[in-house]
Amino acid sequence: DADGAIIAANDTDILSFARDTYSYMWPRDGALVAFALDRAGYHHISRRFFDFCGRVIEREGYFLHKYNPDGTLASSWHPWTADDSDELPIQEDETALVVWALWKHFEKYRDIEFISPLYKSLIKSAGDFMAAYRDPETGLPLPSYDLWEERKGVLTWTVAAVWAGLTAAANFTDCFGESEISAKYRGAAREIKAGMLQHLYDEKSSCFFRMIQKKEDGSWEKDRAIDASLFSVFYFGLFTPDDPRVTGTMEAIRDMLWCKTEVGGIARYRGDNYQQIASDDPDRKSTRLNSSHT
């Protein structure tokens, strides 16, 4: 969009059955696209996106679910209350990945004059939020909604993204000479990594869990589903690609989710009914409308 929003899609086919469009800006999707645009040399587009993010980020340092191209808050299916208590209807990876992508932009172009107006309002506010929005027991980020927008919990994808966002924020604060703030962010990132290895990695299967959720008795329920988003454990720099924990996870994704046809490709997870054409389960109905997008 001319004002900087990287919108999901302008197609209108879903108007016929959903009475809506995909003309929204998801900060996560926009950050990943901005990262790709920067790598391709289209920094003038990604800069408008980062400026847009600087305008819409909440004062407390997080992004909400999605936005209209004019910067107003878009419709959402994430609730503000649950179980008679208030909650933040956020996907925390959206906050983290904007900061991560902005650091990747700065690494490539080294334009401090562009970064300076975003330093306090976006980078530091998001860094403070990510460092604070954590479980004091595990050090992990508090539960939020997943990137497929289907479930809420502490997800490997989100944890890896928040680690990357905090590391990026620490890199920025180093550049601006605020070493004490940098130490706080890096300390939080270390605690997140330690908590991830303790709670989200399965030694028996050599694979990361998709998600954990705290039960009423205080124990953790572990979601062992193989999910394509588990590639995040190396993509955002948390572990090296040759780390055995990474290779074990990626082998599981290949074995479980690779479509063994001439077309190929990776499914999101087994049993995903988004855009599904057929199912072995007679009770599962195909749907083209889902709370997630590919």
Side-chain angles (χ1 to χ4, degrees), residues 13-282:
D13 62 327
I14 65 170
L15 280 172
S16 61
F17 60 90
R19 297 182 182 179
D20 205 347
T21 71
Y22 266 118
S23 297
Y24 300 119
M25 189 284 277
W26 276 263
R28 168 191 53 258
D29 300 43
L32 293 171
V33 171
F35 173 60
L37 288 169
D38 277 336
R39 293 188 68 181
Y42 295 97
H43 64 278
H44 59 289
I45 303 176
S46 61
R47 286 188 176 191
R48 290 204 297 269
F49 168 75
F50 292 126
D51 283 337
F52 179 95
C53 291
R55 296 194 300 271
V56 302
I57 190 170
E58 297 294 311
R59 184 177 60 234
E60 295 83 0
Y62 57 83
F63 292 100
L64 290 165
H65 181 195
K66 54 191 172 83
Y67 298 85
N68 294 305
D70 64 359
T72 56
L73 186 61
S75 59
S76 175
W77 42 86
H78 297 334
W80 287 86
T81 61
D83 300 324
D84 297 324
S85 62
D86 295 338
E87 69 173 23
L88 280 181
I90 65 171
Q91 298 166 284
E92 196 179 352
D93 63 314
E94 299 205 281
T95 299
L97 292 182
V98 169
V99 182
W100 168 79
L102 184 58
W103 173 253
K104 293 298 183 181
H105 175 93
F106 180 67
E107 271 191 322
K108 184 175 179 68
Y109 297 106
R110 293 290 172 178
D111 187 346
I112 197 71
E113 292 184 358
F114 169 70
I115 296 296
S116 292
L118 300 172
Y119 178 61
K120 183 177 179 180
S121 62
L122 196 160
I123 297 166
K124 286 180 64 177
S125 63
D128 289 343
F129 174 79
M130 290 186 287
Y133 197 68
R134 296 187 297 133
D135 184 333
E137 178 186 341
T138 64
L140 293 170
L142 291 172
S144 64
Y145 290 92
D146 71 333
L147 74 163
W148 309 134
E149 304 181 339
E150 295 175 342
R151 56 191 61 84
K152 183 182 180 183
V154 181
L155 292 111
T156 289
W157 164 273
T158 305
V159 172
V162 173
W163 178 90
L166 279 167
T167 301
N171 291 339
F172 276 121
T173 49
D174 277 339
C175 290
F176 281 83
E178 297 198 83
S179 56
E180 290 186 6
I181 298 176
S182 177
K184 179 179 75 171
Y185 294 162
R186 293 193 191 282
R190 284 193 300 270
E191 292 174 359
I192 286 173
K193 185 173 183 177
M196 185 178 191
L197 289 174
Q198 182 178 352
H199 297 283
L200 279 161
Y201 181 69
D202 183 14
E203 294 281 354
K204 292 182 179 179
S205 65
S206 301
C207 185
F208 285 91
F209 299 123
R210 172 166 64 179
M211 179 179 70
I212 57 175
Q213 291 174 303
K214 183 170 283 189
K215 297 188 289 188
E216 290 184 2
D217 62 4
S219 62
W220 291 97
E221 181 180 350
K222 298 172 181 178
D223 183 343
R224 301 174 185 273
I226 302 301
D227 194 293
S229 67
L230 293 174
F231 82 95
S232 58
V233 294
F234 79 88
Y235 191 76
F236 299 132
L238 184 56
F239 300 102
T240 60
D242 59 355
D243 187 298
R245 292 164 293 205
V246 172
T247 56
T249 300
M250 296 305 294
E251 286 170 2
I253 292 175
R254 180 194 62 198
D255 295 344
M256 188 72 71
L257 301 180
W258 180 259
C259 298
K260 300 173 180 65
T261 66
E262 293 182 359
V263 175
I266 294 287
R268 298 194 304 181
Y269 52 84
R270 292 189 71 176
D272 181 11
N273 70 342
Y274 179 65
Q275 299 283 15
Q276 187 182 81
I277 302 301
S279 173
D280 294 333
D281 183 354

